[in-house]
Amino acid sequence: MKKGITALFLGMIFVLGACGNADDTNTSENLEAGEEVYRNNCAACHGADLSGNGAPELTDIGSKYSQEQIEDIVQEGIGSMPPQTQVEGADLEELASWLSEQ
């Protein structure tokens, strides 16, 4: 009896594991490059959903600033936000491009 229950349990684990969603949009492989940079560098202060989380919200940042202006803000800081020196090069361009579309 115990062998049957164990086999059933292991079979269920196998079947349920095979039903996993490989297209999960929350994995970093499926994020746009700029969104991934945002999540890794900006989301802690500005919120994963751009809602602010204690810092200014960025939900409509693209209607306020151009991509170039966003790059300048990230590099130089603005208000109480210090310069984000760890974001540079292609990451900075991808981040600013993604944010300018928000």
Side-chain angles (χ1 to χ4, degrees):
M1 179 72 172
K2 287 184 181 182
K3 288 182 183 179
I5 292 174
T6 302
L8 178 63
F9 181 71
L10 291 174
M12 287 176 58
I13 290 174
F14 177 75
V15 170
L16 292 174
C19 294
N21 186 358
D23 293 328
D24 186 1
T25 57
N26 291 326
T27 61
S28 61
E29 298 89 39
N30 294 326
L31 295 178
E32 290 184 42
E35 184 177 7
E36 185 173 356
V37 174
Y38 175 84
R39 289 191 182 217
N40 292 335
N41 296 282
C42 312
C45 294
H46 292 283
D49 61 354
L50 308 168
S51 66
N53 197 31
E57 72 175 73
L58 302 176
T59 54
D60 60 350
I61 190 77
S63 66
K64 295 178 182 177
Y65 300 104
S66 69
Q67 178 176 339
E68 293 79 22
Q69 290 171 314
I70 294 171
E71 287 179 19
D72 289 343
I73 291 169
V74 172
Q75 287 182 322
E76 298 171 15
I78 189 171
S80 63
M81 180 182 132
Q84 303 302 305
T85 57
Q86 75 280 8
V87 180
E88 57 189 6
D91 284 348
L92 177 61
E93 289 178 26
E94 291 165 349
L95 171 65
S97 174
W98 182 77
L99 283 172
S100 70
E101 295 172 4
Q102 303 307 307

